[in-house]
Amino acid sequence: MTFRTTAADYVENVSPGSGALPPRARYASSDAKSLSLNGSWRLRVSATADAEDDSFAEDGYDTGSWAEVAVPGHWVLQGDGAFGSPVYTNHLYPFPVDPPRVPTENPTGDHLKVFDLPEGWPDVSEGGFVLRFDGVESCARVWLNGRDIGEFKGSRVPHEFAVGHLLRPTGNVLAVRVHQWSAGSYLEDQDQWWLPGIFRDVTLLHRPAGSVLDFFVHASYDIVTGEGTLRVDSDVDGRVSVPALDIDVETGEAVTVPVEPWTAETPALYDGELATEGERVPLRIGFRTVELADGLIKVNGRPILFKGVNRHEWHPETGRALDLETMRADVLLMKQHNINAVRTSHYPPHPAFLDLCDEYGLWVIDECDLETHGFVEQDWRDNPVDDDRWTPALLDRAARMVERDKNHPSVVIWSLGNEAGTGRGLTVMAEWIRDRDDSRLVHYEGDIDCRDTDVYSRMYAFHDEVERMGKGLDGGTHKRRQLPFILCEYAHAMGNGPGGLADYQRIFEAHERLQGAFVWEWIDHGIKHPELGYAYGGDFGEELHDGNFVCDGLVFPDRKPSPGLVEYKKVIEPVRIAGDGTGGTVRVTNAYDFSDLSHLAFEFSHQVDGLPTGARELTVGPLAPGESTEIKLPAGPDGQGAEVQWRVRALLAEDTPWAPKGHTVAWGQETVAPRTPVTVAAPEGPVAGERLITLGPGVFDARTGEPRTIGGVDVTGLRLDVWRAPTDNDDGAPWQDDTRYGVLWRSYGLHRMRHRLDGVDSGDDALTVRTRVAPAAREAGLRTEYRWTSDGTRLKLTVSVRPDGDWTVPLPRIGIRFGLASSAGHAQWFGGGPGEAYPDTVAAAMLGQWDGSIEEMQTPYLRPQENGARADVRWAELGGLRIEGDPEFWFSARRWTTEQLDTARHLNDLTPGDTVWVNLDHGQHGIGSQSCGPGPLPRYFLKAEPAEFSFVFSEID
């Protein structure tokens, strides 16, 4: 006889759980008592859901042998691996797809906390206590003082339990059994680490008689009258007061008064209070009206343009257990980089994050804790969102999001979830949300016909398709054609990139229907590792994983901005500054949706050969949104053959909550006197010896024609270089049908180029070296000529490249590479900076003189790849050499070869050698966003075609 245990059948039940109170509005504090149960808990981890009975929940159970862990926290990120390891998958379920069943191998953590009530707390005999869990992954059963009080699923939404009848003054035993896998896991397949545990706050709340239950703050704004209308509906009668507005009314009563509206640019909040018989709750009220009008998303009567990011919650040491200051750091960085919107991918965030969005000003698309992406592998068969048995769980998740977050003015759109296919359950969710809250719009990207949504939303649409949508040429249902369009995900920020941001932004701003986009995503989900630096998928021995696809953010795990974030800031800056091409006038345009420019000061300066000549104030005036003005610029200096640019910066005129006075919001720059091309006149001829050839300051190998020294500086291996360590965007996503250039380059053999010497000619005025450079196993090649000339003190190299044969692929790069001694530890250059740039990521490269160590010139992408190029370089100095280009060039230098960079999996695989390898590139292929989105636009392709470029070398002290 065989049987299956029923000890943990609730784990595989499709219901959302049992015992929890109805969801309600979340508020941060009140005058009622509350007790945080965060801190040290006892933990025992079992291999299966039913390995242990529930005796651990009883009084007196001996947990002396159990480990101690921090709550909030994930047990797999504590204990140095003693409790299992993280698992990363993008969309594949890490268990067999057999809904709602999960494996017997189901790591289960028994958590136990013993606590006393603080002195001065109400007598427990009065009852009225609630236990709240803000986040537990993925299924939990709860006991208090030996009594089973319920179980729940829905990892990232709150659950509360009435426990007044169970509490005692001292020695309370709170026991929580957490299962990693459950039926709920099928609804939480959200491209992130699978991390079990109690990862958000646990709180005991006193609920006095007559205390606040649920309440709904309705605060609309009328742009015509400038008045706001406030009504607070409450389950318990009380009064609402807002002293600054002279409001004191009963709950349920509407009052209309003049107000300053709330927007993401001007987040005006009014402090108020909801007072019932038993409790006083502080309110922070923002008046604003969200509507779909004239086919557009409008707030306070005006269309808005999202300049957003998708944000997973992440910390490299604590995972999704974030503290307040980490959340604040995210918001401040976003504001400082001109980001105005967040999509909470793909679940409601910690509630404190929304408080910060209210306070500092960010538009929020609040997303339900729902994704069933793994069912795509079976053509969405058995997808829970199209199975009525799962609908109660879907509704429960939607309700817990809406009820918790409904009083946040920052939340302007509810999202049903992400990548969950289509089905009846989504329709039921949308209908419930609209019935509960008609003051916001509803979003869901997978609803291609917009049956249930108010916004046509897509992911990773190519530039040309987005432009067609802007022009209304995209087709689709009649309803869809009448709706605004957003890219809820675009510009996949994985590794070096994303490219093409400026091209997207020009399209967004040209068409009213296009209301912006959200970069995927905010932060790299690297896990701090003692040996690897930061770990990603596969580094914990997972049998199924998606590698570094979890590292696709605009900030690194330590929250340092990547070059992608710096580029995004420039692309979306809310003030446009452009010249007339002559240096006579500058055109300033206000690109804010609501704010004039009175909060900004404008600074003007000239620079000569990259060095500023002094800044002065530029009077612009308080332009209204959308307005432009042209301003006559002061006369520039007499460059006397030097290169001259002007630069205008828009700076904060005063301190703000998110940045200090003087913070740069936007900038523009233009060249008004171009540089004089570098020349080497009066050629000095080469002098040939038996083994060496001398030409001016250069000494060459007589057999190969390669330079040995230039001005006494040793030079190694100077030759044509076309290979770069493919970026994540070069390699592309494995599921994409489009050309994946990194894969194509490797298949073509560009990583194994061979250099054939065809001749060394020492003439009267030049040393000429003729070569053919070609990949092993391929017919096509590049006939390359190096022509060296000198005026006696300087050495000029002219490189001529002519494709030979049928080239069917673009090149990764084209230029020269050579090695210098390791003592060449510092570089200075005049060109784009201070950070890296590539052809389609060059908007933020400001022309000037910059300097930095070789180490500082590297960008620490978690998976090493091509990085660190500086754009539009006129000259560079390092290792005793000055190098001037004709035309401008891309400059990079590193302490390892491109080949070593190519084979490294983590930064610790890169060991500095005895040589600094320098690349001087005539061209680079674009970056694009093909790790999930489109590749580079054709205008950024580096075609294999004839090219000629020069460099002048001279010795410096």
Side-chain angles (χ1 to χ4, degrees):
M1 178 178 179
T2 61
F3 63 91
R4 184 170 181 268
T5 179
T6 61
D9 281 354
Y10 64 89
V11 173
E12 295 181 338
N13 193 310
V14 298
S15 75
S18 62
L21 295 169
R24 64 188 181 112
R26 173 68 147 75
Y27 49 92
S29 64
S30 78
D31 64 347
K33 302 287 188 181
S34 68
L35 175 65
S36 172
L37 298 179
N38 296 346
S40 179
W41 289 52
R42 291 288 187 171
L43 173 72
R44 172 184 64 191
V45 178
S46 305
T48 64
D50 53 5
E52 303 285 350
D53 61 27
D54 58 10
S55 60
F56 80 103
E58 301 290 341
D59 282 343
Y61 190 90
D62 183 7
T63 61
S65 62
W66 291 23
E68 290 191 35
V69 293
V71 169
H74 305 279
W75 70 69
V76 294
L77 295 183
Q78 303 183 62
D80 295 326
F83 310 128
S85 300
V87 174
Y88 167 62
T89 60
N90 167 29
H91 74 277
L92 297 174
Y93 290 107
F95 48 79
V97 181
D98 183 22
R101 303 283 293 276
V102 294
T104 300
E105 296 86 355
N106 187 358
T108 295
D110 288 335
H111 298 71
L112 194 134
K113 175 85 168 181
V114 178
F115 66 93
D116 301 334
L117 298 185
E119 291 288 335
W121 265 52
D123 194 297
V124 295
S125 63
E126 299 177 6
F129 290 86
V130 166
L131 180 64
R132 181 174 66 213
F133 294 89
D134 279 315
V136 182
E137 182 175 331
S138 73
C139 173
R141 193 167 198 95
V142 186
W143 294 263
L144 182 61
N145 292 329
R147 182 77 65 86
D148 184 348
I149 61 174
E151 47 87 12
F152 61 91
K153 308 177 192 77
S155 297
R156 295 152 200 111
V157 287
H159 296 83
E160 293 183 332
F161 297 88
V163 296
H165 59 300
L166 300 176
L167 277 176
R168 53 200 184 203
T170 61
N172 292 283
V173 179
L174 176 57
V176 185
R177 174 163 287 168
V178 180
H179 308 283
Q180 175 156 22
W181 309 122
S182 70
S185 301
Y186 285 99
L187 305 180
E188 297 175 1
D189 188 22
Q190 292 143 324
D191 184 11
Q192 60 184 336
W193 294 97
W194 298 88
L195 298 173
I198 305 172
F199 67 95
R200 286 186 185 160
D201 306 297
V202 183
T203 312
L204 180 67
L205 304 169
H206 180 226
R207 310 308 301 138
S211 60
V212 172
L213 295 178
D214 191 24
F215 64 96
F216 198 160
V217 177
H218 304 274
S220 61
Y221 179 73
D222 187 327
I223 192 172
V224 176
T225 65
E227 294 177 320
T229 298
L230 175 66
R231 188 185 81 246
V232 178
D233 296 332
S234 175
D235 287 356
V236 176
D237 291 342
R239 296 194 68 83
V240 176
S241 60
V242 186
L245 299 176
D246 199 25
I247 291 175
D248 186 356
V249 296
E250 293 183 355
T251 54
E253 180 180 339
V255 59
T256 300
V257 294
V259 298
E260 291 296 322
W262 189 98
T263 74
E265 296 168 9
T266 55
L269 291 174
Y270 291 91
D271 290 328
E273 184 178 79
L274 168 60
T276 65
E277 179 185 356
E279 189 176 15
R280 293 179 178 272
V281 175
L283 304 177
R284 301 205 78 187
I285 302 166
F287 291 87
R288 55 105 185 97
T289 296
V290 183
E291 60 183 338
L292 180 65
D294 306 317
L296 299 173
I297 304 166
K298 292 186 177 182
V299 178
N300 301 337
R302 295 186 182 183
I304 59 176
L305 184 64
F306 292 121
K307 302 170 182 178
V309 291
N310 287 272
R311 176 186 175 270
H312 269 299
E313 295 189 302
W314 188 251
H315 189 283
E317 297 178 63
T318 59
R320 283 188 288 281
L322 268 61
D323 59 35
L324 179 62
E325 289 314 305
T326 297
M327 291 183 267
R328 191 185 307 276
D330 281 344
V331 172
L332 294 179
L333 270 175
M334 291 175 190
K335 294 290 291 186
Q336 290 161 7
H337 288 84
N338 295 328
I339 290 164
N340 72 358
V342 176
R343 177 178 174 229
T344 68
S345 53
H346 298 294
Y347 42 83
H350 190 290
F353 180 76
L354 297 180
D355 292 335
L356 295 168
C357 293
D358 294 342
E359 178 182 351
Y360 291 99
L362 288 168
W363 308 117
V364 175
I365 297 180
D366 200 357
E367 195 147 83
C368 190
D369 189 10
L370 172 63
E371 181 167 338
T372 64
H373 199 174
F375 285 92
V376 71
E377 295 295 315
Q378 52 201 56
D379 296 324
W380 299 104
R381 187 177 63 256
D382 299 326
N383 185 11
V385 304
D386 202 29
D387 184 336
D388 292 341
R389 295 176 301 163
W390 294 81
T391 300
L394 304 183
L395 278 174
D396 182 74
R397 289 167 184 250
R400 292 186 182 279
M401 171 183 69
V402 170
E403 301 295 8
R404 191 196 76 169
D405 296 343
K406 59 182 178 282
N407 295 326
H408 288 282
S410 58
V411 177
V412 293
I413 297 177
W414 301 117
S415 179
L416 303 180
N418 183 69
E419 292 178 316
T422 58
R424 300 182 297 269
L426 293 167
T427 299
V428 174
M429 293 170 69
E431 290 174 346
W432 184 93
I433 290 173
R434 285 198 177 91
D435 184 63
R436 178 59 174 145
D437 177 24
D438 63 359
S439 68
R440 295 175 173 93
L441 306 184
V442 175
H443 166 274
Y444 177 66
E445 178 270 339
D447 185 4
I448 197 69
D449 293 327
C450 301
R451 180 182 63 179
D452 301 319
T453 61
D454 302 308
V455 181
Y456 179 29
S457 176
R458 289 279 301 281
M459 295 180 181
Y460 306 107
F462 285 36
H463 295 75
D464 56 352
E465 184 183 7
V466 173
E467 188 157 30
R468 289 197 301 273
M469 293 179 197
K471 295 177 178 179
L473 303 176
D474 57 303
T477 64
H478 175 76
K479 178 184 178 183
R480 192 180 87 181
R481 295 197 306 273
Q482 310 308 308
L483 294 179
F485 175 81
I486 65 169
L487 279 169
C488 67
E489 293 181 22
Y490 88 127
H492 198 248
M494 184 176 178
N496 187 333
L501 285 169
D503 304 280
Y504 271 118
Q505 196 65 26
R506 281 190 288 270
I507 298 170
F508 297 153
E509 295 179 5
H511 303 284
E512 192 176 46
R513 184 195 185 195
L514 307 179
Q515 292 202 251
F518 296 76
V519 170
W520 184 268
E521 63 162 305
W522 175 241
I523 189 168
D524 285 344
H525 299 201
I527 294 178
K528 195 167 185 180
H529 191 281
E531 298 170 2
L532 302 177
Y534 291 108
Y536 49 76
D539 288 332
F540 298 96
E542 309 100 299
E543 61 183 4
L544 184 69
H545 65 86
D546 285 292
N548 69 313
F549 200 71
V550 76
C551 299
D552 45 15
L554 291 172
V555 298
F556 297 116
D558 60 3
R559 284 177 163 74
K560 291 180 181 176
S562 76
L565 180 58
V566 177
E567 176 81 356
Y568 195 38
K569 175 186 178 179
K570 174 61 180 168
V571 166
I572 62 175
E573 59 190 10
V575 181
R576 299 300 186 197
I577 301 169
D580 62 2
T582 67
T585 62
V586 61
R587 186 175 184 84
V588 177
T589 302
N590 181 351
Y592 284 104
D593 292 326
F594 296 91
S595 298
D596 64 24
L597 301 188
S598 59
H599 65 294
L600 299 177
F602 287 80
E603 179 186 274
F604 170 81
S605 63
H606 279 105
Q607 64 181 28
V608 178
D609 281 342
L611 295 176
T613 60
R616 68 190 79 175
E617 183 180 345
L618 192 68
T619 302
V620 173
L623 297 176
E627 288 187 346
S628 297
T629 187
E630 290 196 0
I631 303 165
K632 180 70 175 176
L633 294 177
D638 182 0
Q640 297 182 341
E643 183 172 0
V644 179
Q645 283 93 24
W646 60 252
R647 182 191 304 171
V648 173
R649 295 195 300 158
L651 313 172
L652 288 179
E654 302 294 341
D655 290 345
T656 71
W658 49 269
K661 177 181 178 180
H663 167 80
T664 300
V665 173
W667 60 271
Q669 185 181 49
E670 188 169 279
T671 298
V672 293
R675 71 185 180 118
T676 302
V678 60
T679 59
V680 174
E684 178 178 297
V687 178
E690 182 178 350
R691 295 186 177 182
L692 299 175
I693 298 174
T694 302
L695 176 61
V699 177
F700 298 79
D701 186 297
R703 185 180 62 85
T704 65
E706 289 186 5
R708 295 280 187 85
T709 62
I710 299 176
V713 176
D714 290 340
V715 176
T716 304
L718 189 150
R719 57 173 53 180
L720 185 77
D721 191 17
V722 300
W723 179 244
R724 74 184 187 195
T727 69
D728 292 313
N729 287 306
D730 288 339
D731 281 339
W735 60 82
Q736 291 184 325
D737 296 328
D738 304 308
T739 300
R740 298 164 56 202
Y741 294 99
V743 176
L744 185 63
W745 294 335
R746 208 178 293 276
S747 69
Y748 208 80
L750 299 189
H751 60 307
R752 55 173 187 264
M753 300 295 280
R754 301 293 184 262
H755 297 254
R756 187 185 73 204
L757 179 62
D758 288 344
V760 178
D761 299 326
S762 180
D764 292 338
D765 61 354
L767 172 64
T768 302
V769 181
R770 292 175 288 105
T771 67
R772 188 176 189 272
V773 184
R778 290 285 180 175
E779 180 181 18
L782 299 169
R783 294 199 175 272
T784 306
E785 180 181 280
Y786 309 89
R787 187 172 187 271
W788 297 90
T789 57
S790 178
D791 62 2
T793 59
R794 296 181 297 170
L795 195 63
K796 181 176 182 179
L797 167 64
T798 299
V799 182
S800 301
V801 181
R802 180 169 53 86
D804 182 21
D806 185 16
W807 278 87
T808 60
V809 298
L811 297 174
R813 71 177 347 132
I814 188 167
I816 61 169
R817 179 176 75 170
F818 58 90
L820 298 175
S822 61
S823 58
H826 192 273
Q828 185 173 358
W829 70 96
F830 173 25
E836 74 180 24
Y838 290 81
D840 54 350
T841 66
V842 76
M846 182 183 288
L847 290 176
Q849 284 198 30
W850 309 99
D851 66 89
S853 68
I854 300 303
E855 287 71 26
E856 290 169 338
M857 293 185 68
Q858 314 310 305
T859 304
Y861 296 115
L862 270 64
R863 185 192 73 80
Q865 56 198 270
E866 166 64 32
N867 74 89
R870 269 56 178 181
D872 300 318
V873 174
R874 281 76 165 139
W875 55 258
E877 295 180 349
L878 78 165
L881 287 180
R882 179 182 174 93
I883 306 157
E884 300 171 84
D886 184 17
E888 293 82 13
F889 58 97
W890 308 85
F891 165 55
S892 55
R894 54 180 64 99
R895 295 191 182 277
W896 35 78
T897 64
T898 298
E899 291 73 22
Q900 290 169 324
L901 189 64
D902 189 13
T903 59
R905 288 188 68 246
H906 293 88
L907 291 172
N908 71 320
D909 294 330
L910 295 170
T911 303
D914 295 331
T915 304
V916 171
W917 292 98
V918 179
N919 276 93
L920 311 176
D921 292 317
H922 176 61
Q924 282 265 1
H925 189 68
I927 295 296
S929 186
Q930 203 175 2
S931 53
C932 194
L937 289 168
R939 71 175 69 104
Y940 303 119
F941 285 16
L942 181 59
K943 297 178 181 178
E945 57 190 12
E948 184 172 285
F949 46 95
S950 299
F951 302 102
V952 175
F953 298 84
S954 56
E955 184 182 10
I956 57 173
D957 291 335

